[in-house]
Amino acid sequence: MTNLFSHIEYLLLSHDCVIVPRLGAFIVITSPAELDCENEIILPPSRGVMFNQAVASDDGLLANSIVRRSHISFEEARKIIMRETSQIKTNLNTNKEIKAGSLGSLRLGDEGNIIFTPSADTNEANAKLGYLPLNLTKEEENNEKQEAESVITKEEHAHAVAGLFRLHKTFSKVAVAFSILAAFVIAFILYPIPVDKREQRASVIPVPVKTSTPSVPTVKEIPAAIAVDTTQIPAPLEETISEVSLPNHYLIVGTFKTDTEAKTYMAAHSKDADMQIVESTKVTRVAVAASDNIEELKKLLNSKDIHAKYPNAWIWSRK
């Protein structure tokens, strides 16, 4: 029994729901961060576990975990689950309350229903993960204090710079004047003023000026533009994009670890019904029906034909 709950604890780390056949399902509930305006604090995100006795159909997830850990067949794993589930129910009827590993405890209610009590408060669990409430009042006070210290530091720095500038003001003027004088001297040495030493003569004889007319290149006649028959150019094909909408709900009859196992199962039951593969990040499921209306799938799930062929069928939803 302890081994069964250890599998459940491990699976809840990467799954939102772990079903124990003929007992119920352990479901993870997550809540986003919230702003408590009355107490002026920000509550961190939380993650808790609840138990739903109504969800008890076998999806194969727990059995596959036992198969991987114990290196046994799938059918042997299901027998172990049935055996330990019966022992849990017997203990509930006898002791009224049993320990569910580190998740919490299960006890039998007055009406025969199973009640789950988490082992730790949500706030305590968040504190262990480092998720603590944030006090807005203290944060604002710290920000104001840091801003005040920053202003004081800037003022002190400005006074220090002003004093230093006054101290070296005379030296700066002398340095600037010397720099300008040195620039003029260097420029005069490198670029002296040119002097024209040629003999100055004037000519009284007119010199005829030859004017030449530029030759104009002959321009060949450009042939008229060849008319293009646009009717021969095919019009661009219009691409039509169709959005494929997937159904939201599926009637699942089997859950498998790989696609190969799922296809083998479909091949063995191909005569019973039309099946399809529903893939996800962790497992591969096989469905016999899909629809956006969950009520239709519920009616089909409760039909005699489905009960006879697939006693462990259940409904899985994408959203």
Side-chain angles (χ1 to χ4, degrees), residues 7-65:
H7 282 281
I8 297 172
E9 294 169 8
Y10 171 76
L11 291 172
L12 286 177
L13 296 176
S14 56
H15 296 78
D16 294 333
C17 178
V18 178
I19 301 175
V20 181
R22 299 192 306 168
L23 184 67
F26 290 90
I27 303 171
V28 174
I29 301 175
T30 57
S31 300
E34 296 180 0
L35 176 61
D36 189 351
C37 298
E38 183 178 356
N39 298 319
E40 296 184 353
I41 59 175
I42 298 178
L43 299 176
S46 60
R47 187 176 189 271
V49 180
M50 65 169 289
F51 180 79
N52 189 349
Q53 188 177 355
V55 183
S57 299
D58 187 6
D59 62 349
L61 182 62
L62 184 58
N64 281 323
S65 178

Short mmCIF file of all heavy atoms in Angstrom, two decimals, residues 7-65:
data_model
loop_
_atom_site.label_atom_id
_atom_site.label_comp_id
_atom_site.label_asym_id
_atom_site.label_seq_id
_atom_site.Cartn_x
_atom_site.Cartn_y
_atom_site.Cartn_z
N HIS A 7 4.12 5.74 -5.85
CA HIS A 7 3.93 5.93 -7.29
C HIS A 7 3.06 7.15 -7.55
O HIS A 7 3.31 7.92 -8.48
CB HIS A 7 3.30 4.68 -7.91
CG HIS A 7 4.27 3.56 -8.11
ND1 HIS A 7 5.16 3.51 -9.16
CD2 HIS A 7 4.50 2.43 -7.37
CE1 HIS A 7 5.88 2.39 -9.08
NE2 HIS A 7 5.51 1.73 -8.00
N ILE A 8 2.01 7.32 -6.75
CA ILE A 8 1.11 8.46 -6.94
C ILE A 8 1.86 9.77 -6.69
O ILE A 8 1.72 10.74 -7.45
CB ILE A 8 -0.10 8.34 -5.99
CG1 ILE A 8 -0.91 7.08 -6.34
CG2 ILE A 8 -0.99 9.58 -6.09
CD1 ILE A 8 -2.01 6.77 -5.36
N GLU A 9 2.68 9.82 -5.63
CA GLU A 9 3.44 11.03 -5.33
C GLU A 9 4.40 11.37 -6.48
O GLU A 9 4.54 12.54 -6.86
CB GLU A 9 4.23 10.83 -4.03
CG GLU A 9 3.36 10.68 -2.80
CD GLU A 9 4.17 10.22 -1.60
OE1 GLU A 9 5.42 10.16 -1.70
OE2 GLU A 9 3.56 9.89 -0.56
N TYR A 10 5.04 10.35 -7.03
CA TYR A 10 5.98 10.58 -8.14
C TYR A 10 5.25 11.07 -9.39
O TYR A 10 5.71 12.01 -10.06
CB TYR A 10 6.74 9.29 -8.44
CG TYR A 10 7.58 9.35 -9.69
CD1 TYR A 10 8.79 10.03 -9.71
CD2 TYR A 10 7.14 8.73 -10.87
CE1 TYR A 10 9.56 10.10 -10.85
CE2 TYR A 10 7.91 8.80 -12.02
CZ TYR A 10 9.11 9.48 -12.00
OH TYR A 10 9.86 9.54 -13.14
N LEU A 11 4.11 10.49 -9.71
CA LEU A 11 3.38 10.88 -10.92
C LEU A 11 2.80 12.27 -10.82
O LEU A 11 2.68 12.98 -11.83
CB LEU A 11 2.27 9.85 -11.20
CG LEU A 11 2.74 8.46 -11.63
CD1 LEU A 11 1.57 7.49 -11.69
CD2 LEU A 11 3.45 8.51 -12.97
N LEU A 12 2.43 12.71 -9.61
CA LEU A 12 1.86 14.05 -9.44
C LEU A 12 2.88 15.16 -9.69
O LEU A 12 2.50 16.32 -9.86
CB LEU A 12 1.26 14.21 -8.03
CG LEU A 12 -0.05 13.47 -7.78
CD1 LEU A 12 -0.49 13.63 -6.34
CD2 LEU A 12 -1.14 13.97 -8.72
N LEU A 13 4.17 14.80 -9.73
CA LEU A 13 5.18 15.82 -10.03
C LEU A 13 5.12 16.27 -11.48
O LEU A 13 5.51 17.40 -11.80
CB LEU A 13 6.59 15.28 -9.71
CG LEU A 13 6.87 14.94 -8.24
CD1 LEU A 13 8.25 14.32 -8.10
CD2 LEU A 13 6.76 16.19 -7.37
N SER A 14 4.64 15.39 -12.38
CA SER A 14 4.60 15.72 -13.80
C SER A 14 3.21 15.57 -14.41
O SER A 14 3.05 15.82 -15.60
CB SER A 14 5.58 14.82 -14.56
OG SER A 14 5.30 13.45 -14.34
N HIS A 15 2.20 15.18 -13.62
CA HIS A 15 0.83 15.03 -14.11
C HIS A 15 -0.13 15.78 -13.19
O HIS A 15 0.12 15.90 -11.99
CB HIS A 15 0.42 13.56 -14.21
CG HIS A 15 1.23 12.77 -15.19
ND1 HIS A 15 2.52 12.32 -14.91
CD2 HIS A 15 0.95 12.36 -16.46
CE1 HIS A 15 2.97 11.66 -15.96
NE2 HIS A 15 2.06 11.68 -16.91
N ASP A 16 -1.21 16.26 -13.78
CA ASP A 16 -2.22 16.97 -13.00
C ASP A 16 -3.26 16.04 -12.39
O ASP A 16 -4.03 16.47 -11.53
CB ASP A 16 -2.93 18.01 -13.88
CG ASP A 16 -1.99 19.11 -14.31
OD1 ASP A 16 -1.02 19.36 -13.58
OD2 ASP A 16 -2.21 19.72 -15.37
N CYS A 17 -3.29 14.79 -12.83
CA CYS A 17 -4.31 13.86 -12.32
C CYS A 17 -3.75 12.44 -12.35
O CYS A 17 -3.20 12.01 -13.37
CB CYS A 17 -5.58 13.96 -13.17
SG CYS A 17 -6.89 12.81 -12.66
N VAL A 18 -3.88 11.73 -11.23
CA VAL A 18 -3.48 10.32 -11.14
C VAL A 18 -4.69 9.55 -10.61
O VAL A 18 -5.16 9.80 -9.50
CB VAL A 18 -2.27 10.12 -10.22
CG1 VAL A 18 -1.93 8.64 -10.11
CG2 VAL A 18 -1.08 10.90 -10.72
N ILE A 19 -5.18 8.59 -11.41
CA ILE A 19 -6.40 7.84 -11.08
C ILE A 19 -6.01 6.50 -10.47
O ILE A 19 -5.20 5.76 -11.03
CB ILE A 19 -7.27 7.64 -12.33
CG1 ILE A 19 -7.67 8.99 -12.93
CG2 ILE A 19 -8.50 6.81 -11.98
CD1 ILE A 19 -8.43 8.87 -14.23
N VAL A 20 -6.61 6.21 -9.31
CA VAL A 20 -6.50 4.90 -8.70
C VAL A 20 -7.79 4.15 -9.03
O VAL A 20 -8.86 4.53 -8.57
CB VAL A 20 -6.31 4.99 -7.17
CG1 VAL A 20 -6.16 3.60 -6.58
CG2 VAL A 20 -5.11 5.85 -6.84
N PRO A 21 -7.74 3.12 -9.89
CA PRO A 21 -8.96 2.44 -10.32
C PRO A 21 -9.80 1.96 -9.14
O PRO A 21 -9.28 1.44 -8.16
CB PRO A 21 -8.43 1.27 -11.17
CG PRO A 21 -7.08 1.70 -11.61
CD PRO A 21 -6.53 2.53 -10.51
N ARG A 22 -11.11 2.15 -9.26
CA ARG A 22 -12.12 1.73 -8.29
C ARG A 22 -11.95 2.42 -6.92
O ARG A 22 -12.55 2.00 -5.94
CB ARG A 22 -12.09 0.22 -8.10
CG ARG A 22 -12.40 -0.55 -9.38
CD ARG A 22 -12.65 -2.00 -9.10
NE ARG A 22 -11.56 -2.61 -8.36
CZ ARG A 22 -11.62 -3.81 -7.79
NH1 ARG A 22 -12.73 -4.53 -7.89
NH2 ARG A 22 -10.57 -4.29 -7.15
N LEU A 23 -11.14 3.50 -6.86
CA LEU A 23 -10.98 4.23 -5.61
C LEU A 23 -11.24 5.71 -5.81
O LEU A 23 -12.10 6.30 -5.13
CB LEU A 23 -9.57 4.03 -5.05
CG LEU A 23 -9.31 4.67 -3.69
CD1 LEU A 23 -10.14 3.98 -2.60
CD2 LEU A 23 -7.82 4.62 -3.32
N GLY A 24 -10.54 6.35 -6.74
CA GLY A 24 -10.71 7.77 -6.97
C GLY A 24 -9.47 8.36 -7.63
O GLY A 24 -8.54 7.64 -7.98
N ALA A 25 -9.46 9.65 -7.78
CA ALA A 25 -8.36 10.34 -8.46
C ALA A 25 -7.78 11.43 -7.57
O ALA A 25 -8.51 12.16 -6.89
CB ALA A 25 -8.86 10.95 -9.77
N PHE A 26 -6.45 11.53 -7.56
CA PHE A 26 -5.74 12.61 -6.89
C PHE A 26 -5.46 13.69 -7.94
O PHE A 26 -4.78 13.41 -8.94
CB PHE A 26 -4.44 12.11 -6.27
CG PHE A 26 -4.66 11.21 -5.09
CD1 PHE A 26 -4.79 9.83 -5.27
CD2 PHE A 26 -4.75 11.72 -3.81
CE1 PHE A 26 -4.99 8.98 -4.19
CE2 PHE A 26 -4.95 10.89 -2.72
CZ PHE A 26 -5.08 9.52 -2.91
N ILE A 27 -5.97 14.88 -7.73
CA ILE A 27 -5.93 15.95 -8.72
C ILE A 27 -5.16 17.13 -8.15
O ILE A 27 -5.35 17.54 -7.01
CB ILE A 27 -7.36 16.40 -9.12
CG1 ILE A 27 -8.15 15.19 -9.65
CG2 ILE A 27 -7.31 17.50 -10.16
CD1 ILE A 27 -9.62 15.48 -9.87
N VAL A 28 -4.25 17.70 -8.98
CA VAL A 28 -3.46 18.86 -8.59
C VAL A 28 -4.23 20.14 -8.90
O VAL A 28 -4.79 20.29 -9.99
CB VAL A 28 -2.10 18.87 -9.33
CG1 VAL A 28 -1.34 20.16 -9.04
CG2 VAL A 28 -1.28 17.67 -8.94
N ILE A 29 -4.28 21.04 -7.93
CA ILE A 29 -4.94 22.33 -8.11
C ILE A 29 -3.89 23.43 -7.97
O ILE A 29 -3.18 23.50 -6.97
CB ILE A 29 -6.05 22.54 -7.06
CG1 ILE A 29 -7.10 21.42 -7.16
CG2 ILE A 29 -6.70 23.90 -7.22
CD1 ILE A 29 -8.15 21.50 -6.09
N THR A 30 -3.77 24.28 -8.99
CA THR A 30 -2.82 25.40 -8.96
C THR A 30 -3.59 26.71 -8.95
O THR A 30 -4.62 26.85 -9.62
CB THR A 30 -1.89 25.35 -10.17
OG1 THR A 30 -2.69 25.36 -11.38
CG2 THR A 30 -1.04 24.10 -10.15
N SER A 31 -3.10 27.67 -8.20
CA SER A 31 -3.71 29.00 -8.12
C SER A 31 -2.64 30.04 -8.42
O SER A 31 -1.51 29.94 -7.94
CB SER A 31 -4.29 29.24 -6.72
OG SER A 31 -5.28 28.28 -6.41
N PRO A 32 -2.98 31.06 -9.23
CA PRO A 32 -1.99 32.11 -9.54
C PRO A 32 -1.78 33.05 -8.36
O PRO A 32 -2.49 32.98 -7.35
CB PRO A 32 -2.63 32.83 -10.73
CG PRO A 32 -4.10 32.64 -10.53
CD PRO A 32 -4.26 31.27 -9.91
N ALA A 33 -0.81 33.91 -8.47
CA ALA A 33 -0.55 34.91 -7.44
C ALA A 33 -1.73 35.88 -7.33
O ALA A 33 -2.40 36.19 -8.33
CB ALA A 33 0.74 35.67 -7.76
N GLU A 34 -2.01 36.34 -6.11
CA GLU A 34 -3.15 37.22 -5.86
C GLU A 34 -2.70 38.45 -5.09
O GLU A 34 -1.73 38.43 -4.35
CB GLU A 34 -4.24 36.48 -5.06
CG GLU A 34 -4.85 35.30 -5.79
CD GLU A 34 -5.92 34.62 -4.97
OE1 GLU A 34 -6.16 35.08 -3.84
OE2 GLU A 34 -6.50 33.64 -5.46
N LEU A 35 -3.44 39.55 -5.30
CA LEU A 35 -3.18 40.81 -4.59
C LEU A 35 -4.21 40.98 -3.48
O LEU A 35 -5.41 41.06 -3.75
CB LEU A 35 -3.22 41.98 -5.57
CG LEU A 35 -3.07 43.37 -4.95
CD1 LEU A 35 -1.72 43.51 -4.26
CD2 LEU A 35 -3.25 44.45 -6.01
N ASP A 36 -3.74 41.01 -2.24
CA ASP A 36 -4.61 41.24 -1.08
C ASP A 36 -4.54 42.73 -0.74
O ASP A 36 -3.62 43.20 -0.05
CB ASP A 36 -4.14 40.38 0.10
CG ASP A 36 -5.12 40.42 1.26
OD1 ASP A 36 -6.07 41.23 1.21
OD2 ASP A 36 -4.96 39.63 2.22
N CYS A 37 -5.52 43.48 -1.26
CA CYS A 37 -5.51 44.94 -1.06
C CYS A 37 -5.76 45.31 0.40
O CYS A 37 -5.25 46.33 0.88
CB CYS A 37 -6.57 45.58 -1.96
SG CYS A 37 -6.27 45.35 -3.73
N GLU A 38 -6.55 44.51 1.10
CA GLU A 38 -6.88 44.85 2.49
C GLU A 38 -5.64 44.79 3.37
O GLU A 38 -5.41 45.68 4.20
CB GLU A 38 -7.95 43.89 2.99
CG GLU A 38 -8.42 44.19 4.41
CD GLU A 38 -9.52 43.26 4.85
OE1 GLU A 38 -9.99 42.43 4.02
OE2 GLU A 38 -9.93 43.35 6.03
N ASN A 39 -4.83 43.75 3.23
CA ASN A 39 -3.63 43.60 4.04
C ASN A 39 -2.37 44.15 3.36
O ASN A 39 -1.28 44.09 3.93
CB ASN A 39 -3.41 42.12 4.38
CG ASN A 39 -4.55 41.55 5.20
OD1 ASN A 39 -5.06 42.22 6.10
ND2 ASN A 39 -4.96 40.34 4.88
N GLU A 40 -2.52 44.63 2.12
CA GLU A 40 -1.41 45.21 1.36
C GLU A 40 -0.26 44.22 1.19
O GLU A 40 0.90 44.51 1.45
CB GLU A 40 -0.91 46.50 2.03
CG GLU A 40 -1.96 47.60 2.06
CD GLU A 40 -1.41 48.90 2.64
OE1 GLU A 40 -0.26 48.87 3.13
OE2 GLU A 40 -2.11 49.91 2.60
N ILE A 41 -0.59 43.01 0.73
CA ILE A 41 0.43 42.00 0.46
C ILE A 41 0.09 41.30 -0.85
O ILE A 41 -1.05 41.32 -1.32
CB ILE A 41 0.54 40.95 1.60
CG1 ILE A 41 -0.82 40.22 1.79
CG2 ILE A 41 1.02 41.58 2.88
CD1 ILE A 41 -0.75 39.10 2.79
N ILE A 42 1.12 40.71 -1.46
CA ILE A 42 0.94 39.89 -2.66
C ILE A 42 1.13 38.43 -2.28
O ILE A 42 2.19 38.04 -1.80
CB ILE A 42 1.95 40.29 -3.76
CG1 ILE A 42 1.73 41.74 -4.18
CG2 ILE A 42 1.81 39.37 -4.97
CD1 ILE A 42 2.73 42.22 -5.22
N LEU A 43 0.08 37.63 -2.46
CA LEU A 43 0.15 36.22 -2.14
C LEU A 43 0.79 35.45 -3.30
O LEU A 43 0.45 35.69 -4.46
CB LEU A 43 -1.26 35.67 -1.87
CG LEU A 43 -2.01 36.33 -0.70
CD1 LEU A 43 -3.42 35.77 -0.60
CD2 LEU A 43 -1.26 36.11 0.61
N PRO A 44 1.73 34.55 -3.02
CA PRO A 44 2.43 33.84 -4.11
C PRO A 44 1.52 32.78 -4.74
O PRO A 44 0.48 32.43 -4.18
CB PRO A 44 3.60 33.18 -3.37
CG PRO A 44 3.09 32.97 -1.98
CD PRO A 44 2.19 34.14 -1.68
N PRO A 45 1.90 32.26 -5.90
CA PRO A 45 1.14 31.15 -6.49
C PRO A 45 1.21 29.91 -5.60
O PRO A 45 2.19 29.69 -4.90
CB PRO A 45 1.83 30.91 -7.85
CG PRO A 45 3.18 31.51 -7.69
CD PRO A 45 3.03 32.67 -6.75
N SER A 46 0.16 29.10 -5.64
CA SER A 46 0.09 27.92 -4.77
C SER A 46 -0.24 26.67 -5.59
O SER A 46 -0.77 26.76 -6.70
CB SER A 46 -0.98 28.12 -3.69
OG SER A 46 -2.26 28.32 -4.27
N ARG A 47 0.08 25.52 -5.00
CA ARG A 47 -0.16 24.22 -5.65
C ARG A 47 -0.61 23.24 -4.58
O ARG A 47 0.10 23.01 -3.61
CB ARG A 47 1.10 23.73 -6.34
CG ARG A 47 0.91 22.46 -7.19
CD ARG A 47 2.23 22.14 -7.89
NE ARG A 47 2.09 21.08 -8.87
CZ ARG A 47 2.21 19.78 -8.59
NH1 ARG A 47 2.50 19.39 -7.35
NH2 ARG A 47 2.07 18.87 -9.54
N GLY A 48 -1.81 22.69 -4.73
CA GLY A 48 -2.36 21.75 -3.75
C GLY A 48 -2.90 20.50 -4.42
O GLY A 48 -2.95 20.39 -5.64
N VAL A 49 -3.29 19.53 -3.60
CA VAL A 49 -3.81 18.25 -4.09
C VAL A 49 -5.18 18.00 -3.48
O VAL A 49 -5.38 18.22 -2.27
CB VAL A 49 -2.85 17.08 -3.74
CG1 VAL A 49 -3.42 15.76 -4.26
CG2 VAL A 49 -1.47 17.32 -4.32
N MET A 50 -6.13 17.56 -4.30
CA MET A 50 -7.46 17.18 -3.84
C MET A 50 -7.77 15.77 -4.32
O MET A 50 -7.06 15.20 -5.16
CB MET A 50 -8.51 18.17 -4.35
CG MET A 50 -8.67 18.17 -5.86
SD MET A 50 -10.11 19.09 -6.41
CE MET A 50 -11.42 18.00 -5.87
N PHE A 51 -8.84 15.19 -3.76
CA PHE A 51 -9.23 13.82 -4.10
C PHE A 51 -10.67 13.82 -4.58
O PHE A 51 -11.54 14.46 -3.97
CB PHE A 51 -9.09 12.92 -2.86
CG PHE A 51 -9.48 11.47 -3.12
CD1 PHE A 51 -8.60 10.62 -3.76
CD2 PHE A 51 -10.71 10.99 -2.71
CE1 PHE A 51 -8.96 9.30 -4.00
CE2 PHE A 51 -11.06 9.67 -2.94
CZ PHE A 51 -10.18 8.82 -3.59
N ASN A 52 -10.93 13.13 -5.70
CA ASN A 52 -12.27 13.03 -6.28
C ASN A 52 -12.62 11.56 -6.44
O ASN A 52 -12.03 10.85 -7.25
CB ASN A 52 -12.32 13.75 -7.63
CG ASN A 52 -13.74 13.86 -8.17
OD1 ASN A 52 -14.67 13.24 -7.65
ND2 ASN A 52 -13.91 14.67 -9.20
N GLN A 53 -13.57 11.10 -5.62
CA GLN A 53 -13.95 9.69 -5.64
C GLN A 53 -14.73 9.34 -6.90
O GLN A 53 -14.77 8.17 -7.30
CB GLN A 53 -14.79 9.39 -4.39
CG GLN A 53 -15.09 7.91 -4.19
CD GLN A 53 -15.84 7.66 -2.90
OE1 GLN A 53 -16.06 8.58 -2.11
NE2 GLN A 53 -16.24 6.42 -2.66
N ALA A 54 -15.34 10.34 -7.58
CA ALA A 54 -16.16 10.05 -8.75
C ALA A 54 -15.33 9.65 -9.96
O ALA A 54 -15.81 8.95 -10.85
CB ALA A 54 -17.02 11.27 -9.10
N VAL A 55 -14.08 10.07 -10.01
CA VAL A 55 -13.21 9.73 -11.15
C VAL A 55 -12.42 8.48 -10.77
O VAL A 55 -11.43 8.56 -10.04
CB VAL A 55 -12.25 10.89 -11.49
CG1 VAL A 55 -11.40 10.54 -12.70
CG2 VAL A 55 -13.03 12.17 -11.73
N ALA A 56 -12.87 7.31 -11.22
CA ALA A 56 -12.24 6.05 -10.82
C ALA A 56 -11.98 5.11 -11.98
O ALA A 56 -11.65 3.94 -11.77
CB ALA A 56 -13.13 5.34 -9.78
N SER A 57 -12.12 5.59 -13.22
CA SER A 57 -11.86 4.73 -14.38
C SER A 57 -10.35 4.61 -14.61
O SER A 57 -9.60 5.57 -14.43
CB SER A 57 -12.53 5.31 -15.63
OG SER A 57 -13.94 5.39 -15.45
N ASP A 58 -9.91 3.43 -15.01
CA ASP A 58 -8.48 3.16 -15.17
C ASP A 58 -8.00 3.77 -16.49
O ASP A 58 -8.48 3.42 -17.56
CB ASP A 58 -8.25 1.65 -15.17
CG ASP A 58 -6.76 1.30 -15.16
OD1 ASP A 58 -5.94 2.24 -15.04
OD2 ASP A 58 -6.43 0.11 -15.28
N ASP A 59 -7.02 4.68 -16.42
CA ASP A 59 -6.42 5.25 -17.62
C ASP A 59 -5.06 4.65 -17.92
O ASP A 59 -4.40 5.03 -18.88
CB ASP A 59 -6.30 6.77 -17.50
CG ASP A 59 -5.40 7.19 -16.35
OD1 ASP A 59 -5.04 6.32 -15.53
OD2 ASP A 59 -5.09 8.39 -16.27
N GLY A 60 -4.60 3.70 -17.10
CA GLY A 60 -3.33 3.02 -17.36
C GLY A 60 -2.09 3.76 -16.90
O GLY A 60 -0.99 3.22 -16.97
N LEU A 61 -2.23 4.99 -16.40
CA LEU A 61 -1.06 5.77 -16.00
C LEU A 61 -0.36 5.16 -14.79
O LEU A 61 0.86 4.99 -14.76
CB LEU A 61 -1.48 7.22 -15.69
CG LEU A 61 -0.36 8.17 -15.30
CD1 LEU A 61 0.64 8.34 -16.44
CD2 LEU A 61 -0.94 9.53 -14.92
N LEU A 62 -1.13 4.80 -13.77
CA LEU A 62 -0.55 4.23 -12.56
C LEU A 62 0.05 2.85 -12.85
O LEU A 62 1.12 2.50 -12.34
CB LEU A 62 -1.62 4.15 -11.47
CG LEU A 62 -1.17 3.66 -10.09
CD1 LEU A 62 -0.06 4.53 -9.53
CD2 LEU A 62 -2.36 3.63 -9.12
N ALA A 63 -0.63 2.07 -13.66
CA ALA A 63 -0.13 0.73 -14.00
C ALA A 63 1.18 0.82 -14.78
O ALA A 63 2.12 0.03 -14.55
CB ALA A 63 -1.18 -0.03 -14.82
N ASN A 64 1.30 1.76 -15.69
CA ASN A 64 2.55 1.92 -16.45
C ASN A 64 3.70 2.32 -15.55
O ASN A 64 4.85 1.91 -15.77
CB ASN A 64 2.36 2.98 -17.54
CG ASN A 64 1.63 2.42 -18.75
OD1 ASN A 64 1.83 1.28 -19.13
ND2 ASN A 64 0.77 3.23 -19.34
N SER A 65 3.42 3.10 -14.51
CA SER A 65 4.48 3.48 -13.56
C SER A 65 5.00 2.26 -12.81
O SER A 65 6.20 2.09 -12.60
CB SER A 65 3.95 4.52 -12.57
OG SER A 65 4.93 4.86 -11.62
#
